[in-house]
């Protein structure tokens, strides 16, 4: 019962967050100026611009425009893209698949490798191999994704000619964007697994397991890793949520037809409805992911309560 | 188990990666921007792709002369009426016949205010379109419009199939276009590709290149890499700083379309002191070392100019480039009563070749004649809303490469009260208006000459230089680029 009340309060908090985001998204864009001028051809007359502004509803009081926006958003209607003349939601959902594919593949390989490297580093703590893994994971987080992406292109496309430099549609197209994007997460997950595992390996029940004469790998895999996973899974949930909002830099460099590229182009062209749709979507994914993590917490660890 | 990371990495690298390189009869073209939709009457972008699917009544050859397209001839019946005779036997890709009704339909739907066409301004002078007989159309203009045939050579004047659009609706048409052009539409995947196939029944003959794929590759380095690796055969928009990449490799060539880009200028707000003073404007004009900017800063990829008008434009006058003479500038400032100079704001953005560096250099040259310059550099979308309302000096690029007429190069940026104009010169306004109501080509050309002569004396704005248009191509692709920035695949050969 207590758990249910906790979840209910988290859900209400999530709704409040979404309302706040909708306010921010709506008003922030209006601070940047008159979209009608930008949308029309440079040699349009003032009258044509005025007519366009009127037709798009930019002349109504801003609070009326917000009300219209909110009512539409609740029905999944965020208006038509100014640039594509198509529903912003359609543009978003069309690109969801590409973004999800990139996000999941990047997170998958970085998680698998991250667990492995983290475990090795924890078990061989303070050994040369631990040191090497720590340096690599530090580098992975320090290197900017655009630099790594360009290096990958130069190596695998320009010099070796193994992989297509950009585009979408086949497994080969996925490799470099996924590597570039996952490098950061690989580092983060490796470090978290390592520190979490080191902490767990110091627990009493591990000592008991050792006393039973189990092999070190068996202890790590069977007993320690499972408990060390809780913070890691939380982290992955958050990473996945942020990745689903689109990987801006990676998608641009590799011409990946995902949400991040849609967002960047919409911002450049001041395509209000699309920007709003992307930001609202990203916020929604975050709130939902947060909520699911809370659910997982109450389920995994009954001690967690507010 | 210990070796697993190395193994996994090795596996990822060793996967059979068969990159599909272009085939002989397929041309892949890399563009910097994504395509939104393919309805040529309602574009919010350059018409590069649709230009291959649709035709206009009037076309331009490689030397930018107007030549017959879907119309075989055209004549001015009177000052406000143009008559076009249409080509017989042309059919749309779906078999629908091309006729006068199609022309009327194509223009009327853009002109209809209900449809809110974004480029209506390009054909705004049209009052009505009349079908005389199935192969003859008369276009009436609201006032004399000498440029009407030119207007019929570019978007939004592409001819579309009326029955097909009425049957399927405009939205369907925008994603499944049908035209009379050299290529038929195959597929359109947003942000990924547009595929076209040769139209075997094209009225100019069957195109050599069988398949064209247009791919948006927003990042310039990735775009150039894909050209060098052979994934694409032609790319648009090569930034100046990446030109060496193309010059160093044997796998790709730089296409330098001399004077194919925008003409960069400094706009001047003349409604306020000190720029209302012609001597001050002249002083600024002589303070800039254009030659040094285009040679040293832009690596010869731009040409200093004395007029906003392009060399291929109708009415072009070869006005001499303003001499760099800081001594004269100081003297002119003194005559204007500004011996000690003055403080002024100059705005610019990041839109053009080395925009920020050029602005910096010009500011320095203004300071050399005694001015104090506050430089403001803004992000483009903010800039377009500021210019030219603030200024008082603002850097912009303007082009006439689509219209190829002096009018397009000067009117909007030199006429008092136009949204993009800071100029206030009554004598110039009178000439600009006169040029728009004179149909006789010779009389009109003289007026256009006068406009440019007057502009070089009165300095309604400071013309700097014209950028080249930079593209890249594979060595086996035969394409030199065009002044109007089009990519007519029909005219491209590959060996």
């Amino acid at each position: 019962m207590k758990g249910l009340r906790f979840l209910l309060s988290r859900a209400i908090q999530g709704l409040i967050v979404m309302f706040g985001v909708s306010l921010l998204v709506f008003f922030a864009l209006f601070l940047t100026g008159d979209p009608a001028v930008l949308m029309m051809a440079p040699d349009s007359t003032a009258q044509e611009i005025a007519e366009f502004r009127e037709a798009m509803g930019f002349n109504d009081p801003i609070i009326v425009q917000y009300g219209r926006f909110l009512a539409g958003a609740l029905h999944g209607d965020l208006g038509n893209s100014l640039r594509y003349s198509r529903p912003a939601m359609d543009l978003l959902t069309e690109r969801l698949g590409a973004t999800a594919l990139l996000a999941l593949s990047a997170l998958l390989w970085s998680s698998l490798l991250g667990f492995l490297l983290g475990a090795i580093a924890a078990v061989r703590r303070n050994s040369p191999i631990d040191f090497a893994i720590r340096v690599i994971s530090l580098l992975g987080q320090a290197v900017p994704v655009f630099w790594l992406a360009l290096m990958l292109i130069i190596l695998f496309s320009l010099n070796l000619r193994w992989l297509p430099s950009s585009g979408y549609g086949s497994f080969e197209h996925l490799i470099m964007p996924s590597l570039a994007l996952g490098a950061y997460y690989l580092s983060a997950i490796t470090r978290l697994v390592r520190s979490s595992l080191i902490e767990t390996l110091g627990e009493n029940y591990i000592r008991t397991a050792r006393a039973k004469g189990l092999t070190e790998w068996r202890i790590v895999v069977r007993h320690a890793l499972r408990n060390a996973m809780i913070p890691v899974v939380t982290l992955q949930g958050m990473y996945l949520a942020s990745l689903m909002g689109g990987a801006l830099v990676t998608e641009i460099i590799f011409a990946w037809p995902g949400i991040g590229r849609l967002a960047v182009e919409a911002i450049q062209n001041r395509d209000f409805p699309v920007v709003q749709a992307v930001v609202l979507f990203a916020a929604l994914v975050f709130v939902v992911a947060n909520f699911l993590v809370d659910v997982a917490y109450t389920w995994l660890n009954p001690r967690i309560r507010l | 188990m210990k070796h697993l990371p190395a193994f996994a990495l090795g596996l990822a690298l060793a996967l059979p990666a068969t990159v599909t390189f272009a085939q002989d009869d397929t041309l892949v073209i890399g563009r910097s921007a994504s395509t939104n939709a393919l309805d040529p009457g309602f574009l919010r972008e350059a018409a590069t792709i649709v230009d291959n699917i649709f035709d206009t009544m009037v076309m331009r050859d490689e030397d930018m002369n107007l030549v017959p397209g879907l119309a075989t001839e055209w004549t001015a019946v009177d000052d406000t009426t143009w008559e076009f005779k249409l080509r017989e036997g042309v059919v749309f890709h779906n078999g629908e016949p091309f006729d006068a009704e199609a022309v009327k339909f194509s223009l009327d739907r853009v002109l209809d205010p209900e449809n809110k066409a974004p480029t209506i301004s390009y054909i705004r002078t049209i009052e009505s379109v009349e079908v005389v007989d199935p192969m003859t159309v008369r276009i009436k203009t609201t006032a004399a419009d000498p440029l009407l045939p030119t207007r019929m050579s570019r978007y939004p004047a592409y001819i579309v199939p009326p029955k097909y659009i009425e049957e399927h609706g405009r939205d369907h048409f925008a994603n499944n276009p049908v035209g009379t052009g050299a290529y038929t539409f195959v597929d359109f995947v947003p942000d990924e590709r547009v595929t076209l196939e040769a139209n075997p029944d094209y009225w100019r003959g069957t195109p050599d290149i069988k398949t064209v794929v247009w791919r948006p590759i927003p990042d310039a380095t990735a775009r150039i890499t894909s050209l060098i690796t052979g994934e694409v055969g032609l790319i648009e928009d090569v930034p100046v700083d990446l030109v060496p990449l193309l010059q160093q490799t044997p796998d790709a060539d730089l296409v330098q379309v001399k004077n194919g880009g925008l003409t960069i200028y400094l706009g001047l707000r003349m409604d306020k002191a000190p720029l209302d003073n012609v001597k001050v404007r002249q002083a600024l004009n002589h303070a800039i070392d254009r030659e040094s900017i285009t040679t040293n800063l832009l690596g010869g990829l731009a040409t200093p100019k004395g007029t906003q008008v392009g060399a291929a434009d109708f009415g072009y006058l070869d006005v001499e480039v303003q001499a760099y003479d800081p001594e004269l500038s100081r003297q002119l400032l003194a005559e204007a009563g500004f011996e000690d100079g003055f403080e002024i704001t100059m705005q610019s953005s990041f839109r053009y070749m080395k925009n920020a560096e050029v602005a910096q250099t010009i500011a320095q040259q203004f300071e050399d004649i005694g001015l104090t310059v506050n430089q403001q550099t803004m992000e483009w979308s903010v800039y377009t809303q500021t210019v030219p309302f603030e200024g008082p000096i603002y850097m912009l690029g303007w082009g006439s490469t689509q219209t190829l007429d002096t009018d397009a190069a000067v009117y909007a940026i030199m006429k008092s009260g136009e949204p993009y104009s800071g100029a206030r010169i009554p004598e110039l306004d009178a000439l600009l208006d006169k040029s728009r109501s004179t149909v006789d080509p010779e009389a009109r050309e003289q007026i256009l000459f006068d406009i440019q002569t007057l502009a070089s004396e009165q300095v309604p704005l400071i013309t700097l230089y014209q950028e080249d248009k930079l593209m890249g191509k594979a060595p086996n692709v035969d394409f030199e680029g065009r002044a109007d920035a089009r990519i007519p695949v029909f005219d491209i050969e590959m060996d």
Side-chain angles (χ1 to χ4, degrees), chain B residues 14 30 56 63 71 86 92 105-106 111 131 167 226 234 276 302 321 332 362 396 402 430 437 468 481:
Chain B
T56 42
D63 303 318
L86 305 182
F92 289 97
F105 176 85
S106 302
L111 291 167
V131 174
E167 205 171 297
S226 63
L234 190 66
D276 57 342
V321 178
L332 283 163
I362 293 173
L396 267 186
Q402 286 287 333
S437 59
D468 293 345

Side-chain angles (χ1 to χ4, degrees), chain B residues 254-459:
Chain B
L254 178 71
V255 178
Q256 188 179 352
V257 188
K258 208 72 201 145
N259 298 325
L262 296 171
T263 301
I264 310 298
Y265 69 95
L266 296 181
L268 307 171
R269 271 200 56 172
M270 249 165 251
D271 54 341
K272 289 190 295 199
L275 297 179
D276 57 342
N277 189 324
V278 65
K279 284 195 190 299
V280 172
R281 301 198 298 267
Q282 287 167 341
L284 296 179
N285 208 0
H286 286 291
I288 300 167
D289 187 354
R290 294 166 176 79
E291 195 60 50
S292 148
I293 292 174
T294 55
T295 313
N296 302 327
L297 213 51
L298 302 179
L301 298 171
T303 317
K305 290 202 53 175
T307 171
Q308 283 296 120
V309 182
D313 295 1
F314 177 80
Y316 167 74
L317 182 69
D318 188 6
V319 181
E320 207 177 317
V321 178
Q322 295 289 332
Y324 170 54
D325 190 346
E327 205 42 57
L328 176 64
S329 292
R330 269 181 229 112
Q331 189 189 323
L332 283 163
L333 278 185
E335 285 170 25
F338 292 103
E339 294 88 349
D340 304 323
F342 50 82
E343 194 174 328
I344 198 154
T345 300
M346 182 166 93
Q347 298 176 319
S348 59
S349 185
F350 302 102
R351 184 77 162 185
Y352 313 114
M353 282 184 185
K354 300 209 172 177
N355 209 160
E357 290 95 324
V358 171
Q360 177 72 45
T361 307
I362 293 173
Q364 185 57 51
Q365 290 170 351
F366 283 165
E367 304 219 328
D368 289 346
I369 61 163
L371 269 55
T372 307
V373 181
N374 306 316
Q375 268 204 81
Q376 286 179 6
T377 311
M378 277 168 272
E379 191 264 323
W380 177 248
S381 61
V382 179
Y383 189 60
T384 47
Q385 306 202 9
T386 315
V387 165
F389 311 110
E390 283 181 13
I393 303 180
Y394 51 91
M395 194 164 158
L396 267 186
W398 202 259
S400 50
T401 50
Q402 286 287 333
T403 314
L404 291 169
D405 190 278
T406 299
D407 184 82
V410 297
Y411 192 92
I413 54 174
M414 291 190 186
K415 174 88 184 348
S416 304
E418 284 291 307
Y420 274 82
S421 170
R424 298 285 182 278
I425 304 173
E427 206 186 331
L428 189 60
D429 291 345
L431 277 176
L432 286 164
D433 279 339
K434 202 169 149 202
S435 77
R436 283 208 164 175
S437 59
T438 308
V439 180
D440 175 59
E442 275 173 45
R444 184 166 170 271
E445 191 171 33
Q446 189 54 52
I447 300 170
L448 299 179
F449 289 165
D450 294 346
I451 288 172
Q452 292 166 80
T453 311
L454 185 68
S456 75
E457 293 158 10
Q458 289 288 315
V459 201

Side-chain angles (χ1 to χ4, degrees), chain A residues 34 48 55 165-166 270, chain B residues 116 124 191 215 231 381 385:
Chain A
D34 182 356
E48 279 160 7
S165 56
S166 66
R270 204 148 323 165
Chain B
K116 302 197 170 29
R124 201 194 297 141
D191 281 355
R215 277 187 50 198
E231 291 163 75
S381 61
Q385 306 202 9

Side-chain angles (χ1 to χ4, degrees), chain A residues 69-115:
Chain A
F69 166 75
L70 197 62
L74 290 173
H75 292 96
D77 173 15
L78 290 164
N80 272 8
S81 154
L82 302 179
R83 198 158 154 262
Y84 288 76
S85 304
R86 291 182 52 214
M89 277 303 278
D90 288 3
L91 295 173
L92 188 85
T93 46
E94 273 170 14
R95 287 157 178 81
L96 197 55
T99 286
L101 178 64
L102 182 57
L104 288 173
S105 68
L107 212 56
L108 184 72
W109 81 261
S110 60
S111 296
L112 289 178
L113 201 57
F115 266 104

Side-chain angles (χ1 to χ4, degrees), chain A residues 219-284:
Chain A
I219 293 168
V220 170
V221 175
R222 275 284 174 85
H223 299 272
L225 210 50
R226 202 172 276 183
N227 282 297
M229 260 174 81
I230 295 174
V232 180
V233 169
T234 312
L235 187 78
Q236 283 171 316
M238 288 300 101
Y239 281 162
L240 185 65
S242 75
L243 280 173
M244 284 307 293
L248 306 189
V249 176
T250 314
E251 289 183 8
I252 289 282
I253 293 182
F254 291 104
W256 193 260
I259 293 173
R261 191 163 144 209
L262 180 71
V264 171
E265 280 173 12
I267 290 167
Q268 280 171 349
N269 292 289
R270 204 148 323 165
D271 194 344
F272 284 40
V274 176
V275 176
Q276 288 166 337
V278 173
V279 177
L280 274 178
F281 173 76
L284 185 68

Side-chain angles (χ1 to χ4, degrees), chain A residues 32-35 37-46 48 51-52 55 82-86 94-95 113 116-117 120 124 150 153 156-158 161-169 171-172 175 252-253 255 257-258 261-262 265 268 270, chain B residues 1-2 4-5 8-9 12-13 15-19 21 32-37 44-45 116 118-122 124 171 175 190-192 215-219 221-222 225-226 228-231 251 379 381-382 384-385 398 412 419-420:
Chain A
T32 61
D34 182 356
V37 176
L38 197 75
M39 297 306 300
M40 294 294 281
D43 55 350
S44 304
T45 62
E48 279 160 7
E51 280 169 5
F52 179 76
L82 302 179
R83 198 158 154 262
Y84 288 76
S85 304
R86 291 182 52 214
E94 273 170 14
R95 287 157 178 81
L113 201 57
L116 207 70
L117 292 178
I120 293 170
R124 300 264 184 276
L150 291 177
I153 289 178
F156 291 115
S157 298
L158 208 53
R161 309 253 165 143
W162 287 357
L163 296 171
S165 56
S166 66
Y168 178 72
F171 179 67
E172 288 98 71
I175 296 173
I252 289 282
I253 293 182
R261 191 163 144 209
L262 180 71
E265 280 173 12
Q268 280 171 349
R270 204 148 323 165
Chain B
M1 195 79 176
K2 262 189 212 169
L4 199 66
L9 208 67
L13 299 183
L15 280 165
T18 43
V19 180
F21 291 101
S32 56
S34 291
T35 297
N36 311 321
R44 292 193 186 281
E45 59 188 50
K116 302 197 170 29
T119 47
I120 186 175
S121 61
Y122 298 136
R124 201 194 297 141
D171 289 344
N175 291 293
D191 281 355
E192 211 184 311
R215 277 187 50 198
I217 309 175
D219 183 74
T221 311
T225 304
S226 63
I228 295 173
T229 59
E231 291 163 75
D251 297 329
E379 191 264 323
S381 61
V382 179
T384 47
Q385 306 202 9
W398 202 259
Y420 274 82

Side-chain angles (χ1 to χ4, degrees), chain A residues 59-75:
Chain A
N59 279 340
D60 297 338
I62 203 151
I63 194 76
V64 172
Q65 292 190 49
Y66 176 70
R68 203 162 47 211
F69 166 75
L70 197 62
L74 290 173
H75 292 96

